[in-house]
Each structure stands twice: as structure tokens, then as C-alpha cells.
């Protein structure tokens, strides 16, 4: 059944742990290896992976990853990847560069769509066009627009990596890894160092593809419910076009250090002379490759035991030391042939770095000596086992986790099936756990391991300007070495690349990209079963779905009972419920109790505009999951958390506030577009203002003030926390959302009702909150070499009522005009527009953008692009893409939660069906209507920029008064 004439079947094994038949093949002609998992998962996954070890930091593998998706032999268009984004039902579509490999995974629930994706990707990696223009666009090039203009670098990866290295956390990760592996490929920056990227030549780039992108260097993977024979036919059609080759792609082993090493570095940042907290430290070890699945699990479990939650002893020792604001590193990673382990702190006084290093080593020695308490071992093992059995990967396709799990050994010549088994290894680990196994591992892996580096970083306020000047000097030297002919040639090349970028693909070539038809799409929405009612005085939503024996529970409390001034406390209040302990147990014991008895308990907030109303849906949720015989204990824990949390625990609360602040500051660069979007929408709707106050720049400012108030006015802070608890946790304004199968629901219903009835029942008046903040254009300054540029407005406030068909026009706008103008021509890593049909909020956003005013001008030209209309093929593709977004794959818990949230926001199934109908019936008329609305955004919208001071100052110099400037970091 599973044989194929072109492939040798190497292994045929049933793996119950992942509910799959595993078939390992070798292509007879080329030696390509294929792992084919046959199972019932409708979310089908394919991936092709190559060993691609770089020998320098020019980013060659990363630039190639971008470039192969820019046109191929069979699909000779400029951006087949974008055409798939526009017109596919994919549930995953991307590519990833790792320190030693490059992977190209896709996923879809639709079989025809899945095969389309597979074919485009296979043609892209094996037969890319790889023109010099593509190399310049995606990698780097000199840009010169006229003889008097300055010479500059442009390139998507070049600017992406400038953005990466604007993050202190990224600088620390890069330096820590490079410090451990100075003699092998892991000692290079695989993504590319912006200082080294311009050293890469097109000839080197081409040779890298010729060497490594060959079937003989291929690990191909399938998982899902598609035909296993068809998989092999598809692969052979490509593999058989090659002859076997000897590909030297081995990742060498780093020789061991005889003694630990120390390194010191800097990052572009600001210093506070009165209270220096700009330092970071990371203590790192190189670990021997795990011998088997048991040892790999042991690595993960040991990392969790040491630092996997706030009560873990190493993390607790660091956070309680007062030496820093938050922990960095998380233990032993699994992505490198010789794994890397790291523990450290951020937000330290750089002079205290030796104290942190000593604390880490002393704490490890103490744990190795005294051992882990049995309660902690039991909790960690249960948490690990629950996660392995549930295998809930969220929006990430489950098959992709199998692929990367297998690659951990497969890539380096090991058994790819071994990592997919966990039952036997976990059982053996359980037996060893109480016998001192992990204490011995701490000694072996850390204390007795001399292959260790300690890396310290601190801010250098002059570094950003110094690096910008060095780049300018380097470009000036290049320019000085050009004669008139070279200058003319560079201008000509710049113009040529721009012409190519602006030239539309031949419609005949575009038609070669495989696509579905509108007839392949479901006309009806996907409904989730829901039973509504009342339970114990609270509003009930129940979803009868298969959940593998797990009960998923969400307890929701309406935030409208709280006065407006208390809302910024909610994020830390939620953390305090789970991380301060109760009157009966400290937070360590509480954390262990949660780990022993549940699959996890967490808290979060939900905020959204209401359907057909200016009101806001605003809820606090406490969510948990447990197997049937642990449901009663889960409720007991949730009751203690809600009603008995130690909100008087000042020291713990201070630690959380510092962690929250440090974590937010670390997210500014990698999540800059999301922060800009939140800031924009604060001036558009009440829900936007609330999101900003509980998760935006305003929240960061609140945290900075709160850290001081904890010391100066703890009684006042504690009173606020207790007021929130006494007011919020009230079943009069509560919802209970349960997702599980019918049999478990019948068992758990009585316990849920009894639990709900124990909560207070006091009628609380609902508060009136202020509306949106005053909208204004802002420049938010951070030490970064790139910008995040946003512009937005509320279309309803501007007098426009657009239908769901606007999402089709936006899909087209994002994948054509904005992709071309902001990314391809502008050199930013990304550019997009977003529209929320419920609120009316519309925003443009860019990511890791070297430009500012040019990007704003692009936004202002979007209306003209939409007004130009759309061809029939592009319209169909865009409709398909939007339906794909609507029908994204979800696990049962997400289905149940999403159904409840739609009820709370007033989004009925009738409204959902109406929106789907509007999308399916979208026409050029909808493009014209959105063009009119977007023109109003150009005239009346406000701009928010998060970026470097020089860029923001220059923008205000060119357009005086455009941005109100304030420093964020």
C-alpha cells in the first residue's frame, strides 16, 4: 500500500504517541529522505528542509530564503508567495532560516489547495529564478537616485536585521550563541549582521543555492489525512530531475573550552545616571547532544524545574534578589546540534553583573545539593505529561511540531522517528525523578561543565549615532571611489530595479499560479455547537466538542463594574491572583498545586467594540483545563485564587511590576507595529483607549509610576487591588464557558454549578467610562535604526459604512500596492492595512521600516490604487484568501472560546453569514467604495511613529509640526 518504485521504504512504524503511521523513505536516485506521517489530521502539513550552515555573517541563507520565493521556472512571476497569501486557504505559509537549516512549511485543510501550495514551494526551492535584481531587492544594494544624492543601502533583509539588532534582547541572544561556538557555524549570525550583509556577492549567493538546495540534501515531510501514495508521486516528479550529489553540509562539533570565558558588549540605548538599570547578563553553557528521547525530555523537564514558572527555584532566586527587573534565558534549547543553555537577568546595574553570575551558580549548586521537593517534581512532571498528551499547538499546525521535533535528530543523521515517541521515555524519567536524577544532571550539565560563557551587556547612548556615522562613512568611501561612469551606472541600476518592481507581471504568467475557484469554497459559515442558559446564578455557554477527555473552562467577569481609574491595574492584578499565593499556601505551593492537578490556569482580558453599538465588551477571564477526575480540584484552586489571593504581598507584587515593565520595554522593538496600532486606535474608540491604557505606551508610563508607588504608598496600591477583587468577582455579572464532550459535561455540570454558587452575588452598578483619547499625531522615540509607521482613522466617524467585502479590497491592497511600495521598493520588512468591521477602525502599519515620510505618502496614495480597480483573477484570489482567514484551523478549546466571545460582542451567526455572503459576492464596486473611505483617512487620519530620534526629527524638519515628539526609551 505504501510502496513506490522511486523510493526505498526504510521504516514503517506505528507511533501511537502521535496517532500516526510513520513511513520513512529514501529516494533511490538522489538519496533524498522523506518522513510521511499518515493520520486523521485534516490540517495537512508539508515541509521541505535543507541543511544550510553559513560560514560567515552575511545572512546568505536568510537572503536566499526570501529570494527563492520571488519567482521560479514553473511560476515566473515576481512574488508567487504573495499570490498564495492573497488567494489560498492556507493555515500556514512561510519559510524560516535557522542557524543550521532552512525550512519551507505549508499547511491547509483543503486538499486541492494543499497540493497547490506544495507544488509552488517545490518549484520555488529547486528551480528559483534567482536574478541579480532579486538579490538586490531582498538582500542589499546601493541606491542612488541622482548624482547629488547620498549613496544608501537598501534591501529587505538588510533592514529586517537592522530592526532585529535594535533589540537589546536580540543582541544578547546573538552574542551569547556566538560566544559558545566560535569555531563552527553557530558562531555566525545566520540571519545576517547588517555590518556584514553588504559583503555578500551575487556569485556567492548563487553558489550557495547550487550547493545546498539539492534533493541529496533534502529532508521532506508530510503529515495529515491526504493520500500517502500521492505524496511520493509529487516528490518524485521533482527529485527525479536531479542526479545524486555529494553535499558537504555537516555541522561541525565545537571543541570544548577548558575554562569558562567572559565577554562584554554594548547596545544602542539610554542610561540613567542616578539609577542605572540598563545592564543585562546571560550565563551560557554548551551541552552535549542528547543521546536519546529520554535525555531530550530530561533537558526540557529540567529547564522547567529550574525556571519554567515564577515559583521555580532559580527564577525565584533571581527575581527575589533585587538585582534586576526580569529573568532572561529559559534553560536548555533544542535547536542546535550541541544544545545551548542560558540563564540571566535584564534590568541590572552593570556593576552588579558578577553578583548575578555568582547567584546563578550558587543557586544551581544549592539545588544540586538539597534536591527538588517531591511536590515540585510531581507538578512539573504532570504539567509536562499533560502538554504532551493534549498536544494543543494553538494556531500552529500540529504536523509542523512533528516536523521540527523529528528534525532535531534527523538533520544530523539521527533517527527521525525516535523523538516522536514519548510514553516510554517519560515513564523512565518518572522512575528516575525521585532518585536524584535531576540533581545529578545539574552537576553534569552546568556545575562541572567548563564550556561556559558569561556575557554582559550595557547601554551605550552614543552607539546608535556611532554606528550610523560608520555606515555613512563607509558609503562615503564607496561613493568617493566611484568615477562618473560608476555613479551613472549606480543611478541606472537603481532606476532599473524600481522599474522592474513597478512593472506588473504578465497576466499569462500570473495565471500559472494554481488557485481554487469560488466554487471550491463553502458558502455557509462553520458553526460551533452552543447551549446557553444559567448555572449557579451566572450566564452559561456550553460547547459539546470532542476534547480528548479534557474539560476547558473560562470564567468571565464584566469589567464594567470597575471605575475607570482602576483599569490600568488589571494586568498586574491578574498576575497577582496566580503569583502571590493565598492565606493557606505561599505562591510556590500554589504554583505546584496548579501543576499537579491541572493542565494550567491562566488569566487574560478581552476587549472589543460591540456589534452595532459604541459600547465596549470588556471582560476579565480566569481559564483552566483539567482531566475529568481533577475538575473538582481545579475548581477549588480557582476559588482560592479568586477570593483568597495574597494581595498584601508587597515584595512579590514589586517583582511582578518590575518584570512587567522590563518585558514591555523588551517588546518595543520586536512588536513595534502592534504598539503603534494600539496607540493609533486609542484615539478612535473607547475599546481602543482601554487597550492602550492596559497594554500600550500609556500602560508603560503607568508601570513606571507604579514601581515607585509600591514603595512610597503600598497601602494605597493594596487597597486598589482589594477593591478590584471585592467588586469584580461577582456572579451577578459573570459568564461560565465550558468546552468538553457530552459525557464529561454531565459529570462536571454539578461541580461547576456548586462552585459558581459559592461566589458572591451582589448587584453592582455598571460604570460609565470615558470615550477615546484625543487623537493626535505622535513621534515616539526609541533607540532604533528602523521605524514603525502608522496612520489611521475611524471610518464610521468619517461617515462611511462599508461592508465585509472591504476585507477583500484590503487583502488585495496588502498583497499588491502596500507589499510593493512599502516592502519591495521601500525596503521595510512589512507593510499592511487593517480594518475592524465592528468598530470601524482603519489603520496602515509598517514594520522595521527605513523610511518615515515616504511611507506616509504611500499610505496617502492607497485610495488611488484601490480606485484603479481590480481584475477578475485578482478579485477571485482575494476572495479566496479572505475566506481562508475566516476559516482558520482551531482546536476545540479555541472554538468554544471564540463562540462565547462572539456572543459577548453581539456577533450572531446571522451576522457572520451576512459577512461571508458579502465577501463571496465582493466586486469592483466595493473597491471603489473603500477607495473613497481610504481617501478620507489620508485627509483626516493621524500618524503615529515609533522609531529613531534622527528619523523623527528629520520628518518634523521637512513637515513642521507633523509629530508631537516624546521619548519612550
Amino acid at each position: 500500500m505504501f510502496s513506490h518504485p522511486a523510493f526505498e521504504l526504510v521504516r514503517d512504524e506505528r507511533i501511537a504517541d502521535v496517532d500516526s503511521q510513520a513511513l520513512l523513505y529514501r529516494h533511490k536516485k538522489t538519496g533524498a529522505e522523506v518522513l510521511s506521517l499518515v493520520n486523521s489530521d485534516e490540517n495537512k502539513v508539508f515541509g521541505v528542509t535543507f541543511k544550510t550552515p553559513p560560514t560567515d555573517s552575511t545572512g546568505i541563507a536568510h537572503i536566499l530564503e526570501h529570494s527563492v520565493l520571488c519567482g521560479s521556472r514553473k511560476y515566473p512571476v515576481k512574488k508567487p508567495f504573495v499570490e498564495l497569501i492573497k488567494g489560498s486557504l492556507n493555515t500556514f505559509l512561510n519559510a524560516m532560516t535557522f542557524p543550521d537549516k532552512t525550512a519551507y512549511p505549508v499547511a491547509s485543510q483543503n486538499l486541492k489547495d494543499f497540493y497547490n501550495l506544495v507544488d509552488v514551494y517545490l518549484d520555488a526551492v529547486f528551480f528559483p529564478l534567482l536574478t541579480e535584481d532579486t538579490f538586490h531587492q531582498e538582500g542589499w544594494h546601493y541606491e542612488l537616485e541622482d548624482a547629488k544624492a547620498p549613496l544608501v543601502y537598501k534591501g529587505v533583509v538588510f533592514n529586517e536585521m537592522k530592526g532585529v539588532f535594535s533589540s537589546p534582547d536580540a543582541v544578547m541572544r546573538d552574542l551569547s550563541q556566538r560566544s559558545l561556538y566560535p569555531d563552527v557555524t553557530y558562531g555566525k549570525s545566520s540571519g545576517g549582521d547588517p555590518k556584514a550583509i553588504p559583503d555578500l556577492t551575487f556569485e556567492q549567493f548563487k553558489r550557495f543555492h547550487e550547493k545546498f538546495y539539492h534533493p541529496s540534501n533534502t529532508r521532506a515531510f508530510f503529515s495529515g489525512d491526504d493520500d500517502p501514495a500521492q505524496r511520493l508521486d509529487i516528490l518524485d516528479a521533482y527529485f527525479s530531475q536531479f542526479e545524486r550529489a555529494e553535499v558537504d553540509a555537516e555541522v561541525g562539533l565545537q571543541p570544548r573550552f577548558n575554562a569558562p570565558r567572559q565577554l562584554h558588549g554594548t547596545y544602542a540605548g539610554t542610561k540613567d545616571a542616578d539609577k542605572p538599570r540598563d545592564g543585562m547578563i546571560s550565563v551560557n553553557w554548551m551541552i552535549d547532544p542528547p543521546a536519546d528521547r529520554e535525555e531530550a525530555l530530561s533537558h526540557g523537564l529540567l529547564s522547567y524545574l529550574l525556571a519554567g514558572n515564577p515559583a521555580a527555584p532559580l527564577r525565584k532566586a533571581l527575581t527575589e534578589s533585587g538585582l534586576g527587573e526580569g529573568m532572561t534565558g529559559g534553560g536548555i534549547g533544542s535547536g542546535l546540534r550541541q544544545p545551548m543553555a542560558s540563564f540571566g537577568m535584564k534590568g541590572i546595574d552593570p556593576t552588579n553583573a558578577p553578583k548575578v553570575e555568582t547567584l546563578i551558580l550558587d543557586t544551581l549548586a544549592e539545588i544540586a545539593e538539597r534536591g527538588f521537593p517531591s511536590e515540585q517534581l510531581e507538578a512539573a512532571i504532570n504539567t509536562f505529561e499533560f502538554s504532551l498528551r493534549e498536544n494543543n499547538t494553538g494556531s500552529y499546525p500540529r504536523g509542523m511540531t512533528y516536523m521540527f521535533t523529528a528534525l532535531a535528530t534527523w538533520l544530523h543523521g539521527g533517527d527521525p522517528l525516535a523523538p516522536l515517541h514519548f510514553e516510554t521515555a517519560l515513564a523512565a524519567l518518572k522512575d528516575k525523578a525521585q532518585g536524584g536524577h535531576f540533581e545529578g544532571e545539574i552537576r553534569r550539565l552546568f556545575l562541572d561543565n567548563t564550556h561556559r560563557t558569561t556575557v554582559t551587556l550595557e547601554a551605550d547612548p552614543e552607539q546608535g549615532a556611532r554606528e550610523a556615522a560608520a555606515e555613512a562613512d563607509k558609503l562615503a568611501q564607496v561613493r568617493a571611489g566611484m568615477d562618473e561612469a560608476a555613479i551613472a551606472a549606480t543611478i541606472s541600476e537603481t532606476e532599473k530595479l524600481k522599474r522592474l518592481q513597478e512593472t506588473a507581471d504578465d497576466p499569462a504568467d500570473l495565471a500559472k499560479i494554481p488557485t481554487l475557484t469560488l466554487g471550491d469554497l463553502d458558502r455557509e459559515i462553520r458553526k460551533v455547537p452552543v447551549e446557553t442558559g444559567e448555572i449557579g446564578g451566572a450566564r452559561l455557554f456550553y460547547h459539546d466538542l470532542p476534547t480528548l477527555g479534557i474539560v476547558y473552562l473560562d470564567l468571565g467577569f464584566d469589567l464594567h463594574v470597575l471605575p475607570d481609574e482602576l483599569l490600568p491595574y488589571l494586568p498586574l492584578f491578574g498576575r497577582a491572583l496566580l503569583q502571590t499565593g493565598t492565606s493557606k499556601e505561599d505562591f510556590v505551593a500554589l504554583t505546584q498545586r496548579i501543576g499537579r492537578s491541572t493542565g494550567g490556569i491562566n488569566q487574560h482580558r478581552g476587549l472589543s467594540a460591540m456589534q452595532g453599538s459604541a459600547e465596549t465588551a470588556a471582560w476579565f477571564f480566569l481559564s483552566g483545563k483539567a482531566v475529568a477526575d481533577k475538575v473538582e480540584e481545579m475548581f477549588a484552586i480557582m476559588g482560592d485564587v479568586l477570593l483568597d489571593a495574597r494581595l498584601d504581598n508587597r515584595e512579590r507584587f514589586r517583582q511582578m511590576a518590575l518584570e512587567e515593565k522590563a518585558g514591555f520595554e523588551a517588546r518595543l522593538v520586536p512588536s513595534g507595529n502592534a504598539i503603534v496600532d494600539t496607540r493609533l486606535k486609542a484615539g478612535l474608540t473607547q475599546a481602543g483607549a482601554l487597550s492602550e491604557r492596559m497594554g500600550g505606551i500609556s500602560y508603560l508610563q503607568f508601570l513606571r509610576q507604579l514601581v515607585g508607588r509600591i514603595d512610597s504608598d503600598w497601602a494605597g496600591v493594596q487597597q486598589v487591588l482589594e477593591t478590584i477583587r471585592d467588586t469584580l468577582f461577582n456572579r451577578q455579572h459573570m459568564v461560565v464557558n465550558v468546552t468538553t464532550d457530552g459525557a464529561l459535561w454531565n459529570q462536571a455540570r454539578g461541580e461547576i454549578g456548586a462552585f459558581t454558587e459559592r461566589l458572591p452575588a451582589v448587584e453592582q452598578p455598571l460604570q460609565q467610562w470615558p470615550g477615546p483619547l484625543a487623537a493626535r499625531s505622535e513621534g515616539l522615540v526609541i533607540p532604533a535604526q528602523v521605524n514603525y509607521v502608522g496612520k489611521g482613522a475611524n471610518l464610521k466617524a468619517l461617515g462611511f459604512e462599508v461592508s465585509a467585502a472591504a476585507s477583500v479590497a484590503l487583502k488585495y491592497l496588502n498583497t499588491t500596492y502596500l507589499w510593493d511600495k512599502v516592502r519591495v521598493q521601500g525596503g521595510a520588512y512589512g507593510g499592511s492595512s487593517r480594518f475592524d468591521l465592528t468598530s470601524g477602525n482603519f489603520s496602515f502599519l509598517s514594520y522595521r521600516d527605513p523610511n518615515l515620510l515616504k511611507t506616509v505618502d504611500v499610505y496617502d496614495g492607497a485610495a488611488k490604487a484601490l480606485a484603479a480597480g481590480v481584475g477578475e483573477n485578482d478579485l477571485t484570489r482575494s476572495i479566496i484568501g479572505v475566506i481562508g482567514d475566516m476559516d482558520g484551523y482551531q482546536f476545540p478549546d479555541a472554538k468554544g472560546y471564540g463562540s462565547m466571545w462572539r456572543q459577548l460582542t453581539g456577533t450572531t451567526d446571522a451576522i457572520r453569514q451576512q459577512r461571508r455572503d458579502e465577501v463571496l459576492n465582493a466586486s469592483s464596486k466595493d473597491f471603489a467604495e473603500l477607495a473613497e473611505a481610504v481617501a478620507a483617512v489620508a485627509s483626516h487620519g493621524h500618524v503615529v511613529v515609533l522609531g529613531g530620534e534622527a528619523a523623527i526629527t528629520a520628518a518634523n524638519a521637512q513637515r513642521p509640526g507633523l509629530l508631537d515628539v516624546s521619548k519612550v526609551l
Side-chain angles (χ1 to χ4, degrees):
M1 176 182 178
F2 299 121
S3 63
H4 192 284
F7 290 86
E8 172 192 358
L9 179 60
V10 180
R11 295 269 294 281
D12 182 350
E13 185 175 316
R14 178 70 190 171
I15 304 181
D17 303 26
V18 295
D19 193 23
S20 301
Q21 190 71 24
L23 304 154
L24 181 62
Y25 295 95
R26 183 176 294 109
H27 190 241
K28 295 176 182 177
K29 184 178 180 184
T30 63
E33 297 180 20
V34 181
L35 177 55
S36 181
L37 298 186
V38 184
N39 50 51
S40 60
D41 192 348
E42 64 178 340
N43 198 15
K44 291 162 275 289
V45 168
F46 166 75
V48 58
T49 301
F50 305 96
K51 282 189 189 180
T52 52
T55 57
D56 55 38
S57 295
T58 59
I60 187 168
H62 187 189
I63 296 169
L64 187 56
E65 174 231 303
H66 281 239
S67 300
V68 300
L69 295 170
C70 292
S72 66
R73 184 177 70 180
K74 194 172 178 181
Y75 306 111
V77 298
K78 290 185 293 184
K79 48 184 184 180
F81 175 72
V82 181
E83 294 300 321
L84 294 176
I85 293 174
K86 184 194 305 178
S88 163
L89 298 177
N90 74 83
T91 53
F92 192 90
L93 183 74
N94 213 331
M96 301 103 151
T97 303
F98 298 87
D100 52 15
K101 61 182 176 288
T102 309
Y104 296 86
V106 297
S108 180
Q109 300 172 82
N110 180 285
L111 183 63
K112 180 180 176 183
D113 184 54
F114 179 62
Y115 286 149
N116 288 346
L117 297 172
V118 171
D119 191 61
V120 173
Y121 261 46
L122 285 171
D123 202 66
V125 298
F126 288 119
F127 301 108
L129 299 181
L130 293 188
T131 66
E132 196 160 2
D133 291 317
T134 297
F135 169 72
H136 290 158
Q137 172 182 289
E138 299 299 319
W140 77 276
H141 65 278
Y142 295 121
E143 183 166 287
L144 188 62
E145 296 186 333
D146 64 62
K148 295 180 181 180
L151 192 68
V152 297
Y153 290 125
K154 279 290 182 73
V156 173
V157 170
F158 178 79
N159 285 308
E160 178 189 352
M161 297 312 296
K162 270 196 169 184
V164 168
F165 284 104
S166 293
S167 163
D169 288 63
V171 173
M172 174 60 88
R173 286 192 298 270
D174 180 72
L175 189 55
S176 294
Q177 179 181 308
R178 295 175 70 171
S179 73
L180 286 173
Y181 308 94
D183 305 312
V184 296
T185 190
Y186 298 143
K188 313 301 178 185
S189 291
S190 59
D193 183 334
K195 298 182 185 68
I197 288 173
D199 295 334
L200 181 64
T201 68
F202 177 64
E203 289 72 23
Q204 292 169 325
F205 168 78
K206 284 279 286 184
R207 286 198 300 270
F208 195 88
H209 179 269
E210 291 166 2
K211 177 177 180 179
F212 293 118
Y213 280 58
H214 189 283
S216 299
N217 187 40
T218 295
R219 308 292 189 276
F221 176 90
F222 278 95
S223 178
D225 62 359
D226 55 305
D227 180 2
Q230 180 72 6
R231 299 171 176 179
L232 300 181
D233 288 340
I234 292 170
L235 292 176
D236 182 53
Y238 280 93
F239 293 168
S240 62
Q241 298 180 59
F242 294 81
E243 300 298 326
R244 187 184 292 262
E246 293 298 323
V247 182
D248 181 10
E250 291 306 307
V251 175
L253 293 173
Q254 169 65 43
R256 286 200 155 274
F257 298 166
N258 294 322
R261 299 180 181 182
Q262 302 274 338
L263 287 88
H264 181 269
T266 59
Y267 65 90
T270 57
K271 275 187 173 292
D272 185 340
D274 297 328
K275 191 178 181 183
R277 286 280 189 171
D278 61 275
M280 301 175 70
I281 181 172
S282 181
V283 184
N284 317 292
W285 291 264
M286 185 182 80
I287 307 296
D288 287 333
D292 51 30
R293 180 59 164 153
E294 181 185 327
E295 187 174 353
L297 281 180
S298 176
H299 285 176
L301 191 49
L302 178 58
S303 298
Y304 183 80
L305 281 163
L306 289 171
N309 60 68
L314 181 55
R315 181 170 170 181
K316 184 171 180 287
L318 288 168
T319 55
E320 290 182 352
S321 69
L323 293 171
E325 297 181 343
M327 185 176 178
T328 62
I332 306 170
S334 60
L336 306 181
R337 184 179 184 187
Q338 292 166 289
M340 170 181 172
S342 295
F343 300 105
M345 288 204 85
K346 67 177 72 174
I348 69 167
D349 181 334
T351 62
N352 283 333
K355 294 181 181 179
V356 179
E357 178 187 37
T358 298
L359 178 60
I360 291 170
L361 297 175
D362 286 352
T363 302
L364 289 171
E366 183 181 344
I367 298 169
E369 179 64 29
R370 74 165 191 263
F372 291 104
S374 59
E375 295 86 354
Q376 186 183 3
L377 285 170
E378 182 184 353
I381 290 170
N382 179 72
T383 298
F384 240 59
E385 185 169 5
F386 193 104
S387 177
L388 287 168
R389 296 191 190 287
E390 181 191 27
N391 199 17
N392 188 329
T393 54
S395 61
Y396 197 72
R398 186 174 276 166
M400 280 182 59
T401 66
Y402 299 153
M403 182 179 85
F404 286 115
T405 298
L407 281 167
T409 52
W410 192 17
L411 191 75
H412 306 294
D415 178 4
L417 274 57
L420 299 175
H421 295 273
F422 68 83
E423 290 282 6
T424 302
L426 185 62
L429 204 54
K430 285 182 181 180
D431 290 341
K432 292 181 178 179
Q434 300 292 347
H437 167 76
F438 291 109
E439 292 80 359
E441 287 295 273
I442 291 174
R443 295 186 188 94
R444 182 175 73 89
L445 300 176
F446 304 125
L447 300 176
D448 298 336
N449 183 358
T450 57
H451 198 107
R452 184 179 86 226
T453 63
T454 299
V455 178
T456 56
L457 279 182
E458 63 178 303
D460 180 348
E462 309 301 324
Q463 182 166 321
R466 192 169 60 248
E467 289 177 344
E471 182 179 302
D473 288 345
K474 185 176 180 180
L475 287 164
Q477 291 175 20
V478 172
R479 175 67 182 265
M482 290 180 172
D483 58 19
E484 289 187 9
I487 291 173
T490 303
I491 294 172
S492 177
E493 285 296 319
T494 300
E495 292 172 347
K496 174 192 169 192
L497 182 59
K498 288 191 174 182
R499 281 196 306 273
L500 180 69
Q501 292 167 338
E502 293 171 355
T503 302
D505 285 308
D506 185 330
D509 288 334
L510 279 172
K512 296 174 183 177
I513 300 287
T515 187
L516 302 176
T517 68
L518 296 185
D520 294 317
L521 306 181
D522 292 333
R523 306 291 303 189
E524 303 296 320
I525 61 169
R526 298 181 177 183
K527 296 182 179 180
V528 176
V530 58
E531 172 189 322
T532 60
E534 181 269 347
I535 190 165
R539 188 177 175 189
L540 171 70
F541 302 100
Y542 164 60
H543 313 281
D544 186 354
L545 293 168
T547 57
L548 300 176
I550 298 171
V551 175
Y552 295 98
L553 174 70
D554 305 293
L555 305 178
F557 301 90
D558 193 339
L559 290 175
H560 285 87
V561 300
L562 297 176
D564 168 68
E565 64 270 15
L566 301 188
L567 297 178
Y569 291 87
L570 258 296
L572 275 172
F573 169 80
R575 286 187 62 179
L577 294 179
L578 294 166
Q579 296 182 27
T580 58
T582 69
S583 64
K584 299 186 288 291
E585 54 197 348
D586 63 20
F587 90 93
V588 173
L590 174 62
T591 302
Q592 291 171 357
R593 183 179 165 206
I594 291 170
R596 288 195 309 271
S597 302
T598 77
I601 295 175
N602 62 77
Q603 56 82 29
H604 71 282
R605 298 165 311 285
L607 294 170
S608 173
M610 293 284 290
Q611 183 65 37
S613 167
E615 297 299 314
T616 300
W619 294 80
F620 175 88
F621 290 100
L622 187 69
S623 302
K625 52 189 175 183
V627 295
D629 62 351
K630 298 290 187 180
V631 169
E632 186 175 2
E633 174 63 4
M634 178 173 72
F635 284 130
I637 296 170
M638 293 176 108
D640 289 344
V641 164
L642 291 171
L643 304 178
D644 194 33
R646 282 283 311 276
L647 300 180
D648 61 342
N649 191 339
R650 179 170 67 174
E651 290 307 310
R652 181 70 193 123
F653 195 79
R654 181 196 288 111
Q655 293 159 13
M656 291 190 301
L658 288 170
E659 285 180 341
E660 188 91 351
K661 181 181 79 71
F664 194 105
E665 290 170 345
R667 291 194 302 273
L668 282 170
V669 171
S671 302
N673 56 335
I675 290 166
V676 165
D677 197 33
T678 300
R679 189 73 168 183
L680 273 173
K681 291 172 180 174
L684 303 181
T685 60
Q686 183 186 77
L690 294 173
S691 295
E692 164 69 15
R693 293 180 61 205
M694 288 187 271
I697 296 297
S698 299
Y699 178 58
L700 175 60
Q701 294 165 343
F702 167 80
L703 285 172
R704 288 170 173 166
Q705 295 169 358
L706 181 63
V707 167
R709 280 191 55 216
I710 291 170
D711 290 325
S712 64
D713 181 27
W714 171 244
V717 174
Q718 181 184 334
Q719 182 59 54
V720 167
L721 299 176
E722 291 177 350
T723 298
I724 292 173
R725 175 169 61 190
D726 294 344
T727 308
L728 183 60
F729 298 141
N730 180 350
R731 55 190 162 100
Q732 293 290 328
H733 300 287
M734 176 184 176
V735 296
V736 176
N737 186 61
V738 183
T739 305
T740 194
D741 63 58
L744 285 177
W745 169 235
N746 291 332
Q747 293 178 40
R749 185 167 193 158
E751 295 171 358
I752 295 173
F755 166 78
T756 307
E757 288 172 355
R758 292 197 297 271
L759 297 177
V762 179
E763 188 58 47
Q764 295 279 7
L766 299 182
Q767 303 290 319
Q768 293 298 312
W769 297 332
L773 306 179
R776 62 195 181 105
S777 292
E778 297 180 277
L780 306 170
V781 176
I782 59 173
Q785 299 183 57
V786 291
N787 307 302
Y788 303 85
V789 182
K791 185 169 185 177
N794 185 274
L795 298 189
K796 291 183 178 180
L798 293 176
F800 296 94
E801 288 288 343
V802 298
S803 75
S807 59
V808 178
L810 285 189
K811 174 69 75 170
Y812 177 74
L813 186 71
N814 289 340
T815 54
T816 53
Y817 176 78
L818 290 175
W819 181 279
D820 291 340
K821 297 294 184 183
V822 178
R823 179 181 169 110
V824 174
Q825 296 169 34
Y829 188 58
S832 64
S833 58
R834 301 178 182 180
F835 176 59
D836 178 50
L837 194 60
T838 301
S839 67
N841 286 343
F842 183 97
S843 58
F844 290 107
L845 298 164
S846 70
Y847 187 71
R848 292 176 178 166
D849 192 345
N851 306 306
L852 198 163
L853 292 179
K854 284 184 178 179
T855 299
V856 174
D857 291 341
V858 168
Y859 298 159
D860 291 347
K864 183 178 179 181
L866 284 169
V870 61
E872 195 63 33
N873 286 339
D874 278 328
L875 177 63
T876 298
R877 286 185 189 274
S878 299
I879 291 172
I880 292 167
V882 172
I883 293 296
D885 295 338
M886 288 179 160
D887 292 347
Y889 186 79
Q890 290 183 311
F891 287 100
D893 61 319
K895 289 180 181 178
Y897 180 85
S899 172
M900 172 204 64
W901 188 243
R902 288 192 291 271
Q903 298 263 352
L904 295 179
T905 58
T907 308
T908 64
D909 282 347
I911 290 173
R912 292 175 62 218
Q913 186 61 56
Q914 177 188 337
R915 290 177 175 176
R916 191 178 188 91
D917 292 342
E918 289 170 352
V919 168
L920 289 168
N921 295 318
S923 68
S924 56
K925 175 176 172 289
D926 299 297
F927 281 64
E929 290 178 355
L930 186 63
E932 187 179 352
V934 170
V937 175
S939 301
H940 302 289
H942 63 287
V943 174
V944 174
V945 178
L946 182 73
E949 185 170 14
I952 290 172
T953 300
N956 269 346
Q958 291 183 56
R959 299 183 191 177
L962 174 67
L963 303 172
D964 293 338
V965 181
S966 59
K967 281 200 172 185
V968 177
L969 280 180

